[in-house]
Amino acid sequence: LWQTHSLQDLRQQAAIASKVFVQRDYTSGTICKFQTKFPSELETRIEKQQFEETVQTLNNLYAEAEKLGGKSYLEGCLACLTAYTIFLCMETHYEKVLKKIAKYIQEQNEKVYAPLGLLLTDPIERGLRVVEITIFEDRSIGSR
Amino acid sequence: MHLGIDEPRECQYNQICTHNSSPMETPHSKKRKVKRKWQIFPGRNKFYCNGRIMMAKQTGVFYLTIVLILVTSGLFFAFDCPFLASNLTPAIPAIGGVLFLFVIGMLLRASFSDPGVLPRATPEEAADVERQIDAANGAGGPGYRPPPRTREVVINGQTVKLKYCFTCKIFRPPRASHCSLCDNCVERFDHHCPWVGNCVGKRNYRFFYLFILSLSFLTIFIFAFVITHVILRSNRTGFLSALKDSPASVLEVVVCFFSVWSIVGLSGFHTYLISSNQTTNEDIKGSWSTKRGKDNYNPYSYGNILTNCCAALCGPLPPSLIDRRGFVQPDTPQPAAQSNGTNTCPTTQLQSHMCHQDQCIQSTKFVLQAAVTTPLLHAQPILLGGGPVLQPKPSVGGPCSALGPGQPSLPSSIPGLSCGGEVLALHDSENHCHHHLHHQHFISPEETPCTAHLGHHMPLYDPASQDSLHEDSVRGLVKLSSV
């Protein structure tokens, strides 16, 4: 009993063939931006354009979160004047955009990536270091 | 390796194998309560209020800071303010009070918040980076330590070197640095401040700056008004009796006098840093100094002082990346917590590593045994004895703890085997010698006396044990494929 249980565990895990990591692009400084270079492991799975579009949209959303402008300065000054107690009841602009990003990733997973046997992990769960794409093994081929 | 099974999982799985009953797994998992992520945080930080507050390990100087500020301000409000409020204006204690509250607020905010700690890489990420580094460097021979790993990136025309952090197993983003006191990589690392009891980084730099700025104002404020108080009193009653009437003033003046130089100096220094968008770390190293080269400039500066100041103080506040209060998912890959920058594991982890290798060796043994015994049905007693003997082996901690202290050398194992007198057994041990020379130290003392003993009592060919041996070898093969 216990042997089959452990083997089944592995068979389930064997479904994850590999993980691809899209690294950060630091050429514009320390802002959060991911490389749009198409990883070779995804060549057989997804179209280059679709992938680039996803990463570019993510980059744009992060840029929106970190944008320096009148609105963010106002928020910063107001927070300073209230000794940052205002954030006990209000969400920062960054947090609002992060929620938007989470929703976008979920939507992309449902519509585009899951049907192709891929899964995007929200970068915030990896410390904004990488966009982790899990490639699932196609079970019809056979388990390894 | 690609399955991404982490170490605790391995040990748990091995526990199932070595015990012949499935209930072993459930009590083990039931014992585990759901933990919050701060409880398994790998850095050297202290957490309070169930993960809401995060500080460095050494907090003694922070308490000193708090005491100094509280005592000096308390004395000021208690002894000087009544006189000043009645003789000058009540606005003085009011302004003093606001300043004091602001100082304390900023200090607590700087001390208790996450400075911008970068979470450590998950095992899969670390493996991926290692692969990329090996591909870039080219494989060296065993024992050859590759040169420090760096990546170069061009930011705004300046070439910046990204260093690889051996502890966190990541390439550090630009401006990030690893704090040796807290054992964390911190984004936009400024410095580790013992007075604040925390690192100063991207997320709490503005609080730190506002703290020292407001503290300089408070110090100057108290200093000025205590002097005013003493002067006004001595105008009425004489200097010495003024000092006698308000002894606390002396203490306040002394504290403020010595603080003013350092705090005001520090505020001025950080004002310069903010206006040029540099960190203390970069300034000390002279990263962007023109002394390094004519074309050396700061690629992160926005060009003008106002934008730099606004960006540092009023820019968007990034969220914490470490999610202290989140719950640990049972199948979450655990970050690289064990390594301390070198390839050797600390002694606390040695046992689990030994277990891992031990079980790995056992599975290989099963495979080899199965390979040897299947064509030769009249198997050697020692080899068959090897199967059932190892099954009732105690839990993962058992052999490790038994083997830990004493590690007899290799030659002593050979006589144990040879007393069985079987050629193939020796052949088998030779296989082990060739394949696992390093690990033989751990296994041989435990196994060989047993195998030599029981080998004589076991029947030559036992179908039941043959079946279990097959099962063991299959498990072994499966486990090998999982590594």
Side-chain angles (χ1 to χ4, degrees):
Chain A
L1 257 173
W2 45 273
Q3 301 123 294
T4 49
H5 172 73
S6 51
L7 280 172
Q8 264 172 12
D9 260 351
L10 278 172
R11 256 191 230 116
Q12 280 172 359
Q13 286 163 10
I16 300 173
S18 64
K19 294 192 182 193
V20 184
F21 298 98
V22 179
Q23 301 285 340
R24 282 272 293 269
D25 175 13
Y26 293 116
T27 53
S28 312
T30 50
I31 60 162
C32 186
K33 195 176 171 194
F34 292 97
Q35 291 178 2
T36 47
K37 188 174 81 103
F38 189 55
S40 50
E41 294 95 330
L42 295 177
E43 264 165 24
T44 54
R45 292 295 197 122
I46 190 171
E47 275 176 35
K48 184 173 169 182
Q49 189 148 3
Q50 178 65 56
F51 169 81
E52 275 177 10
E53 193 191 306
T54 309
V55 178
Q56 197 55 51
T57 313
L58 281 176
N59 286 342
N60 291 340
L61 284 168
Y62 282 115
E64 187 195 321
E66 297 184 6
K67 199 174 75 150
L68 294 170
K71 193 176 172 201
S72 69
Y73 290 151
L74 196 64
E75 190 189 52
C77 287
L78 186 67
C80 180
L81 290 172
T82 60
Y84 297 92
T85 51
I86 195 169
F87 291 139
L88 292 169
C89 36
M90 198 180 91
E91 233 178 19
T92 66
H93 173 66
Y94 208 115
E95 283 167 352
K96 285 191 195 130
V97 179
L98 281 179
K99 283 198 176 160
K100 236 206 268 185
I101 290 172
K103 231 198 298 185
Y104 173 74
I105 287 182
Q106 195 192 8
E107 180 197 306
Q108 283 284 293
N109 272 334
E110 280 169 15
K111 289 191 192 157
V112 180
Y113 287 85
L116 297 167
L118 300 170
L119 187 72
L120 289 175
T121 306
D122 195 337
I124 195 75
E125 290 174 31
R126 296 287 177 263
L128 291 182
R129 284 188 310 263
V130 287
V131 178
E132 188 181 295
I133 305 176
T134 315
I135 303 176
F136 286 93
E137 188 73 63
D138 194 353
R139 293 227 189 157
S140 60
I141 295 170
S143 60
R144 274 195 55 189
Chain B
M1 196 67 176
H2 62 275
L3 290 175
I5 299 174
D6 47 358
E7 279 192 333
R9 254 287 180 83
E10 269 295 320
C11 280
Q12 192 188 6
Y13 176 77
N14 294 336
Q15 213 168 16
I16 300 170
C17 298
T18 53
H19 280 269
N20 212 347
S21 53
S22 55
M24 208 56 215
E25 191 200 14
T26 28
H28 188 80
S29 56
K30 267 184 194 164
K31 272 179 211 164
R32 277 195 197 160
K33 284 185 201 165
V34 180
K35 278 187 173 179
R36 290 202 188 248
K37 286 184 188 169
W38 66 267
Q39 290 170 302
I40 54 162
F41 186 70
R44 247 180 272 143
N45 287 90
K46 278 201 239 173
F47 294 91
Y48 303 104
C49 288
N50 202 4
R52 289 183 182 91
I53 291 175
M54 176 176 176
M55 292 180 79
K57 197 173 169 195
Q58 307 289 342
T59 48
V61 189
F62 166 70
Y63 293 123
L64 175 68
T65 310
I66 291 263
V67 160
L68 273 174
I69 295 175
L70 285 178
V71 164
T72 313
S73 308
L75 288 174
F76 176 72
F77 289 121
F79 291 98
D80 299 85
C81 278
F83 180 89
L84 291 163
S86 51
N87 288 41
L88 285 178
T89 161
I92 294 172
I95 295 172
V98 168
L99 257 181
F100 168 74
L101 288 173
F102 193 75
V103 164
I104 293 290
M106 289 299 108
L107 171 63
L108 295 181
R109 195 70 206 241
S111 302
F112 293 165
S113 56
D114 170 15
V117 174
L118 286 167
R120 298 193 184 180
T122 56
E124 295 103 1
E125 266 183 77
D128 187 64
V129 171
E130 293 267 341
R131 236 181 298 132
Q132 285 180 24
I133 293 170
D134 285 336
N137 278 350
Y144 165 72
R145 194 185 166 98
R149 304 159 176 185
T150 53
R151 255 185 208 164
E152 289 204 350
V153 67
V154 178
I155 301 175
N156 280 340
Q158 278 278 27
T159 308
V160 176
K161 269 207 180 117
L162 302 183
K163 289 197 189 143
Y164 180 75
C165 181
F166 285 97
T167 313
C168 305
K169 304 236 165 80
I170 57 169
F171 272 98
R172 280 184 220 129
R175 313 192 96 178
S177 189
H178 189 94
C179 176
S180 49
L181 289 163
C182 303
D183 204 23
N184 290 319
C185 270
V186 178
E187 280 195 282
R188 203 189 181 281
F189 180 74
D190 195 85
H191 66 285
H192 180 100
C193 187
W195 299 93
V196 157
N198 205 356
C199 288
V200 176
K202 182 163 147 190
R203 293 189 74 246
N204 66 351
Y205 185 58
R206 69 190 68 185
F207 307 128
F208 172 75
Y209 178 72
L210 290 172
F211 163 63
I212 56 174
L213 193 66
S214 53
L215 186 63
S216 356
F217 285 134
L218 183 68
T219 317
I220 294 172
F221 185 85
I222 292 179
F223 187 70
F225 281 105
V226 166
I227 300 273
T228 311
H229 173 212
V230 170
I231 288 173
L232 287 177
R233 264 199 201 252
S234 31
N235 279 348
R236 294 186 194 177
T237 58
F239 185 63
L240 283 170
S241 57
L243 287 181
K244 246 197 299 178
D245 290 334
S246 136
S249 306
V250 180
L251 177 68
E252 289 166 52
V253 164
V254 166
V255 170
C256 289
F257 182 74
F258 289 113
S259 310
V260 153
W261 301 112
S262 46
I263 306 264
V264 171
L266 196 62
S267 309
F269 175 61
H270 277 279
T271 309
Y272 158 71
L273 287 181
I274 284 184
S275 61
S276 59
N277 201 332
Q278 285 186 83
T279 63
T280 306
N281 209 19
E282 286 166 355
D283 187 72
I284 287 176
K285 286 189 195 162
S287 308
W288 313 122
S289 155
T290 41
K291 289 181 198 160
R292 282 211 181 186
K294 254 197 285 180
D295 292 328
N296 207 17
Y297 60 89
N298 184 3
Y300 311 109
S301 172
Y302 292 96
N304 67 58
I305 291 175
L306 192 64
T307 319
N308 284 338
C309 291
C310 288
L313 301 175
C314 314
L317 191 63
S320 174
L321 296 173
I322 53 175
D323 188 26
R324 311 186 282 281
R325 288 177 43 80
F327 288 102
V328 178
Q329 305 297 324
D331 56 348
T332 311
Q334 301 299 320
Q338 286 83 14
S339 114
N340 275 332
T342 58
N343 286 328
T344 56
C345 305
T347 31
T348 49
Q349 305 298 328
L350 186 60
Q351 290 188 351
S352 63
H353 267 272
M354 281 167 64
C355 305
H356 181 75
Q357 290 162 351
D358 184 31
Q359 292 298 324
C360 191
I361 304 318
Q362 281 183 34
S363 21
T364 319
K365 256 201 96 163
F366 290 136
V367 170
L368 291 169
Q369 284 169 357
V372 169
T373 54
T374 328
L376 309 162
L377 289 180
H378 300 288
Q380 295 66 40
I382 287 174
L383 292 171
L384 277 178
V389 166
L390 288 164
Q391 270 184 6
K393 208 181 224 20
S395 67
V396 170
C400 302
S401 48
L403 294 169
Q407 292 172 22
S409 58
L410 183 60
S412 66
S413 68
I414 306 295
L417 273 177
S418 60
C419 81
E422 295 292 337
V423 177
L424 268 166
L426 272 177
H427 175 70
D428 195 33
S429 78
E430 269 171 31
N431 278 336
H432 292 298
C433 287
H434 287 305
H435 291 295
H436 306 288
L437 191 65
H438 177 65
H439 303 301
Q440 192 69 5
H441 296 264
F442 301 120
I443 300 180
S444 43
E446 182 84 0
E447 292 174 8
T448 43
C450 294
T451 46
H453 251 282
L454 284 166
H456 296 293
H457 300 293
M458 292 298 291
L460 270 178
Y461 173 61
D462 183 9
S465 68
Q466 185 76 353
D467 276 343
S468 70
L469 200 58
H470 266 294
E471 284 160 0
D472 288 344
S473 55
V474 167
R475 258 189 299 110
L477 276 167
V478 160
K479 252 193 294 188
L480 278 179
S481 71
S482 74
V483 164

